[in-house]
């Protein structure tokens, strides 16, 4: 008979080993080398079979072994060291506390909402970059001591495990997770009862969820789980899978994440005494309903605010991060579905909710638009992505140039202790110290490591990757139905000395998994070149509903099945954190060839760079910002940067040809160019330069610090102002906004007079006096700006500068503003004058969307 569920029953730990239980209960072990070494020493053979899962280790270790360890003085000493180190890590002041001690005003608490979190392969609650980023964000926040609370869902089957059919077609398996066997503890109240959140659903139904806590170092991650007894069967299944099911299923997940998430935080803070968050960070649109819940708290609760007042207060403390410029990647629902599920939110009329998510298509509700309207501060995830997002969402701020759209950018980063190979981390720490590395200084000390030492380490990492490829391809081929006798070739496939290119990522079409197959003959030649061979390891999952992506995987597998090349190219199924690490550690080159500019940031190349891997990439995402062609990698030329998400055959062919050329003439050339000791000195100097130049930039601690100073701290300040004196500022600002919005139609820039001393010459200036009808507004409610710069043939100001004109005088609702603009560029030059509403509590001049530009 088959078991319904499985769980791990753990032997009771002898008292002397109790700290081991505490070490395992906090996920910090997953990025802490000494903890991992300690776990391994519990039972090295068993650990090797546990796929990095300490719960399985403790479940499998014999009582005899535990009894022996309880008497092993050396083990107990190490245990106590690691345990003390964990206590210090959790309790001692860290960077954030030191900043506060120096007088910096920082938020007391920050909530971070995300639909997925990738922390360790043991907790498979992620599908790709978004989740990994969220995991790295929490880990870096923990390292910095930043007071973040994570909020997500616990998917009982997580994301799927991938295998291949004989023909190379992706097969999906959803292993059922039992929270008992995971590093999670349920949230209980003081009486020991399980904490619950409840959401009302249409037709008198309800959605209940319990709250699991994963401890990510110092950061609690609250995961909501609908698989509880009080729910009907349908409600139980809400958190079954990540990104599974239809629109209604997804909406229920997002309601639970947003609305339920806020309630889970309230319960957590009430039980533990934790500070209530001052800032709510919405990591991508999926969690956007958190804003609706917080508005409802203010309109329906004690504060008794009106809708606009509550919206104003909530916006001030909300940060929204957009993660995709791919139109299909934007989360949208039918309006009718929103009407059905959000008709009865206390204190929030459904019409208002619909307006928050309105977009061009009147039948749709757009979660990204709602995110932007609910967050006073918003960002994209790389410099280029910021620019693309401002243009993509420009229609929410009509009248403004895309450069002025209030979406900034913070470039993603990656968590070094999670992604760096131990050998490289140890070496870097030895020469620079771990604190200096984490602070972003000290990376220049890499210079003191010799070429041959670096090269020996890289070879060792490549060799480890080759071993892992052989092991995985063998297992995968057996699953595909090949017999062991047909698989002897796998024991010699790949070569620890051959130039190794890694390519691993999800398989949406814009990432172009099969670009390398554009000319199969040419690829075959590159792989099997007798002088300068190349080997390529590929991995990635396709979304289960995306047959197009599965077809790409099948094409690649068919190519790699060819006996002529199978020793040089492999597809590894079931890409996850555990496998990814081997690829980042061991690849000499990390390949990325998205359709520019559809890769918002991309982080895999950053992880490769932290291990001395050289990036070979289209200039997209983060690489657009930090690529130094020929120094820290190579730029694959991109044929154009049209925004269309469709794959263009011609463009693919051109870019693939450029890729082949680069590999043949630059990459392989440099890799095989050795000195008399067999060291490729030019290559190693690129490895060294990559570590030095990119190391400090790609760190998640750098990213989290940027969020803290640029977004969280200002949001917390705005939020505090709004709340003070019974929400006086929120009420004022809301009243002001609606008054200005009403009066604005009559605001106009009527005349602009200009004067130049003599002829307009370079270095001179232009005096302006603008007459502005301010209608019922005060002149202090209006900011008047001159926008100027070189103009094109259409009279468009191509790279505009802005100066604010000063209020001069006023009569009969007409105000005069004066100022001067510098004539700083020779040639065709133009200017215009415009008026915008201004208020000290606006975060950005474009925020209200109102503007009046001088007419001709
Ligand atoms: C880093 C990482 C990703 C994201 O990589 P991209 O470059 O953003 O595609 C996805 N999955 C895993 C397992 C990762 O480690």
């Amino acid at each position: 008979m088959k078991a319904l569920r499985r769980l791990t029953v753990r032997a009771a730990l002898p008292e002397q080993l109790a700290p081991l239980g505490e070490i395992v209960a906090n996920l910090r072990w997953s990025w802490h080398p000494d903890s991992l070494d300690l776990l391994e020493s519990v039972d090295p053979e068993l650990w090797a079979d546990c796929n990095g899962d300490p719960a399985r280790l403790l479940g499998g270790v014999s009582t005899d072994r535990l009894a022996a360890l309880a008497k092993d003085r050396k083990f107990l000493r190490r245990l106590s060291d690691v345990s003390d180190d964990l206590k210090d890590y959790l309790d001692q002041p860290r960077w954030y506390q030191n900043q506060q001690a120096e007088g910096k005003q920082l938020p007391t608490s920050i909530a971070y909402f995300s639909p997925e979190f990738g922390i360790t392969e043991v907790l498979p609650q992620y599908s790709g970059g978004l989740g990994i980023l969220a995991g790295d964000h929490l880990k870096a926040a923990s390292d910095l001591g930043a007071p973040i609370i994570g909020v997500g869902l616990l998917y009982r089957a997580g994301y799927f495990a991938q295998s291949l059919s004989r023909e190379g077609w992706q097969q999906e398996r959803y292993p059922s997770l039992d929270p008992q066997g995971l590093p999670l503890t349920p949230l209980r109240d003081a009486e020991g009862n399980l904490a619950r959140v409840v959401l009302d659903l249409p037709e008198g139904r309800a959605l209940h969820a319990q709250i699991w806590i994963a401890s990510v170092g110092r950061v609690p991650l609250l995961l909501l789980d609908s698989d509880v007894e009080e729910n009907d069967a349908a409600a139980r299944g809400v958190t079954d899978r990540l990104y599974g099911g239809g629109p209604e299923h997804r909406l229920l997940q997002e309601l639970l994440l947003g609305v339920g998430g806020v309630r889970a935080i309230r319960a957590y803070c009430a039980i533990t005494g934790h500070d209530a968050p001052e800032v709510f960070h919405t990591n991508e649109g999926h969690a956007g309903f958190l804003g609706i819940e917080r508005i409802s708290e203010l309109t329906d609760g004690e504060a008794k605010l009106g809708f606009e007042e509550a919206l104003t207060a909530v916006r001030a403390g909300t940060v929204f991060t957009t993660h995709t410029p791919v139109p299909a990647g934007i989360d949208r629902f039918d309006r009718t579905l929103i009407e059905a599920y959000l008709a009865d939110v206390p204190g929030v009329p459904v019409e208002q909710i619909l307006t928050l998510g309105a977009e061009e298509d009147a039948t749709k509700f757009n979660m990204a638009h709602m995110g932007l309207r609910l967050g006073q501060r918003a960002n994209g995830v790389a410099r280029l992505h910021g620019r693309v997002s401002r243009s993509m969402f420009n229609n929410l701020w009509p009248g403004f140039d895309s450069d002025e759209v209030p979406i900034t950018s913070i470039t993603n980063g990656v968590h070094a202790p999670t992604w760096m190979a131990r050998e490289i981390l140890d070496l870097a720490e030895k020469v620079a110290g771990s604190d200096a590395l984490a602070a972003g200084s000290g990376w220049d000390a890499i210079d003191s490591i010799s070429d041959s030492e670096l090269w020996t380490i890289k070879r060792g990492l490549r060799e480890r990757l080759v071993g892992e490829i052989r092991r995985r391809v063998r297992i995968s081929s057996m699953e595909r139905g090949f017999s062991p006798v047909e698989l002897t070739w796998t024991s010699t496939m790949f070569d620890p000395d051959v130039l190794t290119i890694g390519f691993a990522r999800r398989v949406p079409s814009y990432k172009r998994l099969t670009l390398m197959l554009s000319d199969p003959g040419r690829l075959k030649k590159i792989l099997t070149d007798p002088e300068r061979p190349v080997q390529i390891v590929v991995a990635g999952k396709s979304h289960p509903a995306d047959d197009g992506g599965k077809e790409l995987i099948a094409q690649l597998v068919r190519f790699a099945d060819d006996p002529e090349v199978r020793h040089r190219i492999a597809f590894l199924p079931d890409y996850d954190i555990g496998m990814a690490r081997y690829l980042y550690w061991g690849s000499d080159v990390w390949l990325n060839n998205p359709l520019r500019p559809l890769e918002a940031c991309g982080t895999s190349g950053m992880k490769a760079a932290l291990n001395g891997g050289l990036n070979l990439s289209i200039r997209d995402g983060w690489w657009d910002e930090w690529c130094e062609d020929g120094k820290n990698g190579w730029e694959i030329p991109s044929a154009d940067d049209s925004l269309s998400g469709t794959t263009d055959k011609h463009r693919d062919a051109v870019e693939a040809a450029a890729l082949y050329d680069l590999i043949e003439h630059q990459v392989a050339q440099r890799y095989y160019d050795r000195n008399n000791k067999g060291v490729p000195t030019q290559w190693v100097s690129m490895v060294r330069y990559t570590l030095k130049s990119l190391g400090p930039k790609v760190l998640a601690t750098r990213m989290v610090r940027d969020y803290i100073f640029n977004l969280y701290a200002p949001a917390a300040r705005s939020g505090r102002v709004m709340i003070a004196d019974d929400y006086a500022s929120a009420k004022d600002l809301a009243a002001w906004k609606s008054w200005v919005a009403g009066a604005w139609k009559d605001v106009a820039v009527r005349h602009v007079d200009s004067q130049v001393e003599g002829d307009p010459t370079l270095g001179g200036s232009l005096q302006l006096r603008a007459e502005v009808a301010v209608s019922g507004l005060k002149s202090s409610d209006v900011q008047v700006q001159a926008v100027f710069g070189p103009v094109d043939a259409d009279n468009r100001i191509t790279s505009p500068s802005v100066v604010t004109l000063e209020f001069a005088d006023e009569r009969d609702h007409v105000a005069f503003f004066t100022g001067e603009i510098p004539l700083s560029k020779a040639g065709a030059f133009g200017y215009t004058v415009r008026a915008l509403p201004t208020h000290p509590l606006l975060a950005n001049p474009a925020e209200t969307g109102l503007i009046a530009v001088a007419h001709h």
Side-chain angles (χ1 to χ4, degrees), residues 126 128-129 132 419 505 511 575-577 580 584 602-604 607:
Y126 61 92
I132 304 279
W419 300 111
R505 47 193 38 90
K511 293 196 185 238
Y575 180 45
D576 74 351
I577 292 176
Y584 302 137
T603 51
S604 52
K607 300 173 210 164

Side-chain angles (χ1 to χ4, degrees), residues 51 121 123-127 155-165 169-177 240-242 472 476 479 540-544 550 553 571-577 579:
N51 278 334
E121 60 271 35
L123 208 55
Q125 302 286 318
Y126 61 92
S127 75
Y155 305 96
R156 285 298 179 112
Y159 202 56
F160 68 92
Q162 179 196 50
S163 57
L164 296 173
S165 73
W169 196 255
Q170 169 176 300
Q171 313 286 303
E172 295 114 27
R173 231 171 353 102
Y174 288 89
S176 167
L177 302 174
D240 56 355
R241 292 175 181 185
L242 177 57
R472 288 188 181 251
S476 161
E479 279 174 2
K541 291 177 179 176
S542 170
H543 188 282
K550 292 184 199 177
I553 291 175
F571 180 88
L572 306 185
D574 208 23
Y575 180 45
D576 74 351
I577 292 176
M579 178 214 291

Side-chain angles (χ1 to χ4, degrees), residues 610-794:
L610 277 182
N611 291 288
L614 307 183
N615 278 270
L616 171 60
S617 171
I618 298 269
R619 217 173 169 118
D620 199 4
W622 73 279
W623 190 236
D624 181 62
E625 215 162 314
W626 292 331
C627 160
E628 294 180 62
D629 193 43
K631 291 178 79 180
N632 57 12
W634 295 270
E635 168 192 347
I636 308 168
S638 175
D640 75 19
D641 51 346
S642 88
L643 264 172
S644 98
T646 55
T647 320
D648 170 331
K649 278 242 154 58
H650 174 69
R651 180 174 171 181
D652 284 358
V654 173
E655 296 186 6
L659 169 63
Y660 297 136
D661 282 347
L662 270 170
I663 295 177
E664 284 170 343
H665 302 304
Q666 305 216 24
V667 183
Q669 189 107 12
R670 191 158 292 186
Y671 179 90
Y672 287 106
D673 180 11
R674 306 296 165 95
N675 70 7
N676 54 11
K677 298 201 193 78
V679 177
T681 48
Q682 282 208 54
W683 186 276
V684 176
S685 75
M686 285 179 78
V687 170
R688 187 191 301 284
Y689 188 72
T690 293
L691 288 166
K692 273 167 51 182
S693 67
L694 294 176
K697 291 179 184 155
V698 302
L699 298 180
T701 41
R702 187 273 309 148
M703 165 181 75
V704 172
R705 275 191 231 114
D706 285 352
Y707 273 100
I708 289 169
F709 289 130
N710 303 347
L711 296 174
Y712 296 161
R717 275 198 297 276
S718 302
R720 279 180 208 167
V721 170
M722 293 294 170
I723 291 168
D725 300 329
D726 195 19
Y727 295 91
S729 294
K731 291 172 186 167
D732 282 355
L733 181 58
W736 179 85
K737 272 188 181 170
S738 84
W739 175 53
V740 169
W744 196 259
K745 61 182 187 321
D746 298 322
V747 172
V749 180
R750 290 240 193 98
H751 293 290
V752 180
D753 291 323
S754 66
Q755 268 189 348
V756 206
E757 305 259 331
D759 294 330
T761 48
L762 192 62
S765 62
L766 199 63
Q767 306 295 325
L768 297 183
R769 180 172 164 89
E771 178 186 332
V772 180
V774 291
S775 70
L777 303 182
K778 295 201 287 285
S779 56
S780 59
D781 293 325
V782 180
Q783 186 182 60
V784 177
Q785 299 175 335
V787 183
F788 60 95
V791 288
D792 64 14
D794 283 340

